[in-house]
Amino acid sequence: MSELALNLDCRGADDFRLRLDESLPLSGVTAIYGASGSGKTTLLECIAGLRRGDAGSRIHFAGEAWQDGARHLPPWQRRVGYVFQDARLFPHLDVAGNLDFGRRRRGGHEGLEPERVSRWLGLDTLLHRRPDTLSAGQQQRVAIARALLSAPRLMLLDEPLANLDGASRQQCLDSLRRVIAATGIPMIYVSHDIEEVSQFADRMLVLEAGRVRDRGPMLELSSRIDTRLAHEEQAAAILRANVVGHDEAFGLSELAVDGGRLWVNRLPGEAGAARRIRVPARDVSVCRSRPEDSSILNILPVTVAEIEATGETRVLLRLALGEQYLLARITRKSAAALELAVGDTIYAQIKSAALLSDIA
Amino acid sequence: MSDAELEAIALTLMLAGTTTVLLLLLGTPLAWWLSRRRGTIPALLEAVVAMPLVLPPTVLGFYLLLLLAPDTPVGRLWQQLTGSQLAFSFEALVIGSVIYSLPFVVQPLQAAFSRVPGTLLQAAATLGASPLDQFRAVVLPLTRRSFLVAASLGFAHTVGEFGVILMIGGNIPGETRVVSVALYDHVESLQFAEAHRLAALLVVFSLALLFLLYRGDRRALELGR
């Protein structure tokens, strides 16, 4: 019963209503993705017990009733680590005091060692600083560490990177990935940034106006074209790849994916290391025959699996690449000119592929 | 200073001290509740708490006298429990003072409590802190100074009390004859030298207390954010 069973009906302000009936595995990272106002934070607050679902709502954590009928386990007994969008550090305590706050309230449960957590999140030199002297990124890392040290059974992260700028965002994200790799604490990660969640989510729940629109494993979901996601401008397929080798002279790395090889910018990692890469649909074009004199390095034979119009001028193609899929967005005119049909074997030209993470 | 005056001063300090302790015990949960609630009932309660600010103390004293008299339920209960009369006793003064000085303790605390962001308490809750623990570990440290302000104002205001005491306490040496009443006595019997001593004492005491309070205030009443 290692799952979080949610059967929620929760009314918010202005007719907003969150309704869902889901079971989330308590392992890895579950991303909750959706536009602002779709109910992501409401969902997290219900799980944490900060908000109470309407009568009939049920939340069971690994078989333990957190909300069921009249029963409502208060947040301080749920042992969840909540990282808020604003760090919410205690202003009267220094960093060490903030980290200690949750640790001293573990109630006898085994938890992570403070030294390890400080190291992962790069807090060693900040321990005696006051929260108001920290940058937004540092504050957020303290907040993540503080939550981790309370010996949580589940981490809830509400857009923890939303208020951070590029560099501190990346630093925070790297820290977070170290944590995920090291702890194995299940996480629910809320974001409206698909690139962010594609980096490490194992599965995703897409919320829209308080309802679940799509759900599924991250890689599978990102390769479907019948999702809301596929119709967004930043739609992209996520591929699992293995490092084959590096071309130091040109600063590139060669990756093996199902059904072919890809060249990407030099990335860290030994040969054989597993990587997750993201290929935006707008950066994939197709041709009937293999171009011989193109500047584009990555040309892979693919099979057209699905074709879907995404408006007046564009169509979205789902292209089978071995067991995995690429998405390509091309004009309807091109699709007609090439007489594309499902089952055709064509060539996909990939203009760019971004490394997402060292988690496959 | 005469023994009678020293006795009045000691009684005044005793009354103000007892009242302040009781006010902090009662006022803290009340102020906390008021700071976290909106609506008709809290607003009504806030108005009741603030009443002593605008009512003549004699009005309050009059009703208290009616409430605490020996032939009322409260008076009878007290008589049964303690064997002595409630009206015109030190205990009656304490009850009157607690009501009379309530706004001076509740209002600064309530203002300070409402500046503590609820979001911090949510964070504390998810970190395993029960409501009492949240109050102790987050609210108290952030509002510590306001307790000093509340206690000082409550104390000083009780020291300066007169009308309520005259109504429900009368003028019994060692029991209800506090400094302000003794001063009134001196003036009535045209003992101006003695009246000057007590009046000046109250002026110096109040000025010193308020000065210390306001000087400290400049430094930090705000949350350390």
Side-chain angles (χ1 to χ4, degrees):
Chain A
M1 282 271 275
S2 195
E3 57 176 31
L4 178 65
L6 298 166
N7 190 335
L8 277 176
D9 190 345
C10 187
R11 267 167 242 264
D14 308 326
D15 301 332
F16 176 79
R17 191 169 176 191
L18 174 74
R19 267 182 298 174
L20 53 84
D21 187 358
E22 293 291 325
S23 249
L24 306 177
L26 287 174
S27 67
V29 180
T30 305
I32 311 285
Y33 172 78
S36 48
S38 57
K40 308 186 296 291
T41 299
T42 307
L43 174 58
L44 280 200
E45 287 177 350
C46 285
I47 296 173
L50 297 173
R51 184 191 280 268
R52 205 179 181 131
D54 292 357
S57 292
R58 294 168 64 240
I59 301 175
H60 286 253
F61 177 92
E64 180 185 319
W66 280 2
Q67 181 173 1
D68 198 340
R71 180 180 164 80
H72 182 261
L73 194 69
W76 53 92
Q77 289 173 3
R78 293 193 182 190
R79 292 178 53 217
V80 295
Y82 202 130
V83 179
F84 300 88
Q85 197 170 341
D86 48 333
R88 301 193 187 178
L89 301 182
F90 301 117
H92 59 292
L93 299 174
D94 62 7
V95 169
N98 269 280
L99 296 184
D100 254 7
F101 194 97
R103 199 173 63 84
R104 290 210 321 268
R105 288 168 176 79
R106 281 176 181 176
H109 296 284
E110 280 292 306
L112 298 162
E113 288 162 39
E115 295 74 25
R116 281 178 80 198
V117 174
S118 293
R119 202 167 52 242
W120 290 334
L121 291 153
L123 302 178
D124 288 333
T125 57
L126 305 177
L127 291 176
H128 300 293
R129 297 267 296 273
R130 311 286 298 188
D132 55 4
T133 68
L134 302 177
S135 71
Q138 290 170 331
Q139 289 189 20
Q140 203 55 280
R141 272 155 39 214
V142 175
I144 294 169
R146 182 179 67 173
L148 280 171
L149 285 171
S150 66
R153 295 183 286 179
L154 172 67
M155 285 287 283
L156 303 172
L157 300 105
D158 189 0
E159 309 212 26
L161 311 180
N163 294 329
L164 308 187
D165 54 29
S168 51
R169 197 183 170 88
Q170 197 51 51
Q171 206 182 359
C172 212
L173 207 51
D174 291 343
S175 306
L176 209 49
R177 285 215 301 262
R178 268 197 294 279
V179 169
I180 291 167
T183 64
I185 300 171
M187 299 200 184
I188 297 182
Y189 190 100
V190 156
S191 180
H192 68 268
D193 182 337
I194 188 67
E195 283 190 45
E196 190 179 301
V197 299
S198 343
Q199 298 203 23
F200 51 79
D202 295 299
R203 68 197 72 84
M204 186 159 71
L205 213 59
V206 181
L207 282 185
E208 197 178 282
R211 305 304 294 258
V212 174
R213 174 85 188 211
D214 297 298
R215 68 179 68 75
M218 192 69 216
L219 270 57
E220 187 193 308
L221 204 58
S222 70
S223 71
R224 272 166 44 192
I225 60 173
D226 59 343
T227 63
R228 172 88 187 163
L229 229 47
H231 294 263
E232 288 180 6
E233 178 53 31
Q234 71 269 36
I238 299 171
L239 300 178
R240 217 179 270 117
N242 288 86
V243 178
V244 175
H246 305 292
D247 185 337
E248 303 294 352
F250 289 103
L252 295 175
S253 294
E254 191 178 17
L255 301 177
V257 294
D258 259 355
R261 297 284 169 95
L262 284 177
W263 289 97
V264 297
N265 283 339
R266 175 75 167 90
L267 49 88
E270 298 296 307
R275 291 287 181 267
R276 191 185 271 194
I277 58 171
R278 183 169 190 277
V279 185
R282 59 166 175 263
D283 289 343
V284 178
S285 57
V286 294
C287 28
R288 276 275 173 206
S289 55
R290 178 184 274 279
E292 296 300 332
D293 47 7
S294 170
S295 70
I296 290 175
L297 282 174
N298 296 316
I299 300 171
L300 299 169
V302 292
T303 310
V304 178
E306 280 176 77
I307 303 174
E308 187 165 303
T310 62
E312 281 294 289
T313 54
R314 306 291 179 93
V315 296
L316 193 63
L317 308 176
R318 186 182 198 222
L319 307 168
L321 178 69
E323 293 289 301
Q324 302 191 62
Y325 291 90
L326 280 173
L327 296 181
R329 184 161 45 222
I330 60 173
T331 60
R332 206 154 57 88
K333 187 177 165 75
S334 311
L338 292 172
E339 296 177 329
L340 289 180
V342 171
D344 287 0
T345 297
I346 55 174
Y347 292 90
Q349 305 190 90
I350 302 170
K351 216 164 105 190
S352 79
L355 168 76
L356 276 176
S357 68
D358 39 14
I359 299 171
Chain B
M1 216 169 272
S2 70
D3 284 352
E5 280 168 357
L6 287 176
E7 194 178 44
I9 291 172
L11 186 68
T12 305
L13 294 179
M14 178 79 177
L15 174 65
T18 312
T19 302
T20 305
V21 169
L22 285 176
L23 275 175
L24 287 178
L25 290 178
L26 295 172
T28 303
L30 178 60
W32 177 250
W33 189 80
L34 288 175
S35 74
R36 298 284 130 178
R37 292 285 190 289
R38 293 280 170 278
T40 315
I41 292 171
L44 189 66
L45 206 59
E46 256 185 288
V48 170
V49 169
M51 283 248 276
L53 291 175
V54 295
L55 272 186
T58 42
V59 172
L60 187 64
F62 173 63
Y63 284 118
L64 274 172
L65 187 60
L66 294 185
L67 184 73
L68 306 180
D71 54 349
T72 63
V74 178
R76 266 203 301 275
L77 185 68
W78 185 270
Q79 188 94 36
Q80 271 171 16
L81 290 176
T82 66
S84 58
Q85 183 185 306
L86 182 54
F88 303 109
S89 69
F90 179 75
E91 288 76 13
L93 290 195
V94 171
I95 295 173
S97 305
V98 163
I99 297 172
Y100 181 57
S101 297
L102 193 61
F104 290 84
V105 171
V106 169
Q107 289 188 347
L109 290 183
Q110 188 187 338
F113 291 160
S114 50
R115 283 198 300 270
V116 175
T119 55
L120 279 186
L121 302 181
Q122 287 190 333
T126 61
L127 291 166
S130 66
L132 200 63
D133 190 6
Q134 292 164 33
F135 188 81
R136 192 194 57 73
V138 181
V139 179
L140 274 188
L142 287 175
T143 57
R144 194 174 292 151
R145 245 206 88 69
S146 304
F147 278 89
L148 195 65
V149 172
S152 305
L153 289 179
F155 190 89
H157 190 245
T158 307
V159 167
E161 188 180 343
F162 174 68
V164 178
I165 293 186
L166 210 59
M167 294 294 277
I168 60 173
N171 188 3
I172 304 165
E175 179 75 20
T176 64
R177 191 170 190 261
V178 295
V179 173
S180 59
V181 175
L183 170 63
Y184 180 70
D185 261 5
H186 288 319
V187 177
E188 283 250 281
S189 50
L190 302 176
Q191 295 169 310
F192 285 123
E194 290 80 358
H196 265 307
R197 271 209 304 272
L198 289 181
L201 185 73
L202 284 182
V203 168
V204 169
F205 163 75
S206 308
L207 185 65
L209 187 68
L210 292 177
F211 171 69
L212 287 175
L213 210 56
Y214 286 127
R215 197 185 57 171
D217 230 10
R218 298 283 170 271
R219 279 205 299 272
L221 239 181
E222 290 303 307
L223 291 177
R225 288 207 89 172

